[in-house]
Amino acid sequence: MKNLPFCIEKFSYIVSEEQIDVSFISPLVRRKLSLLDKAALTTMFKVFELQDVEEIVFSSECGEFTRLDNLIKQYQEFGETSPATFSTSVHNYPVSFFTLYNKLNLPYCALSAGKSSLGAGLVKSLQKRTLFTYADIYDGVKSVSCIISPNKSGLEFSGGSYENESFENFIAFLKEDKKEFLTEFGKFFMCNIC
């Protein structure tokens, strides 16, 4: 497979609930957001610039599992569920809320690939100038967003299969503490011309 060049123009990440800041959203709307929504939106708003973004990719391993768990319990206990609660439990809710809140007419993709969700989202983000966000709350609050531009120098992706994918390793890669980030789908690395 030919190496794909790309660059990460800017990024933002959080690793705890204390770092969440959605104070720019009105309290009436904010109270309806889940912890996952707030984590994802915190980093998305910090890096987003409408200029030339062609797509938004949202990736999460477990997504809205707490809302879904509550829906299942509600159905088991009462034999019905709330349509409003169901609509906010779907996997694409954080990115759909982001596009509606900002009045954006951009295509978006929400995906999950189990433990490989971060890598899958990154690979999906390499074809266009993309706002990429990965967020999860299952093993602690974490979210990262970045603007990825294809066909620029700095970084490259090469296909293959590795087993070192973790949120912490990706953050170290973004901060240039590590020269490569390995995923099940391939290797992201700093290229020689950097």
Side-chain angles (χ1 to χ4, degrees), residues 135-152:
D136 237 323
I137 58 169
Y138 188 72
D139 287 327
V141 173
K142 53 186 167 258
S143 178
V144 62
S145 294
C146 47
I147 302 291
I148 298 176
S149 293
N151 303 319
K152 298 209 176 175

Side-chain angles (χ1 to χ4, degrees), residues 55-57 109 111 119-128 130:
E55 183 176 35
I56 301 172
V57 173
C109 172
L111 57 93
L122 282 169
V123 170
K124 170 70 175 130
S125 300
L126 296 177
Q127 301 302 314
K128 300 176 181 175
T130 303

Side-chain angles (χ1 to χ4, degrees), residues 36 62-70 89 136-139:
L36 177 72
C62 297
E64 296 285 358
F65 75 94
T66 51
R67 282 185 170 163
L68 192 54
D69 187 49
N70 289 337
S89 72
D136 237 323
I137 58 169
Y138 188 72
D139 287 327

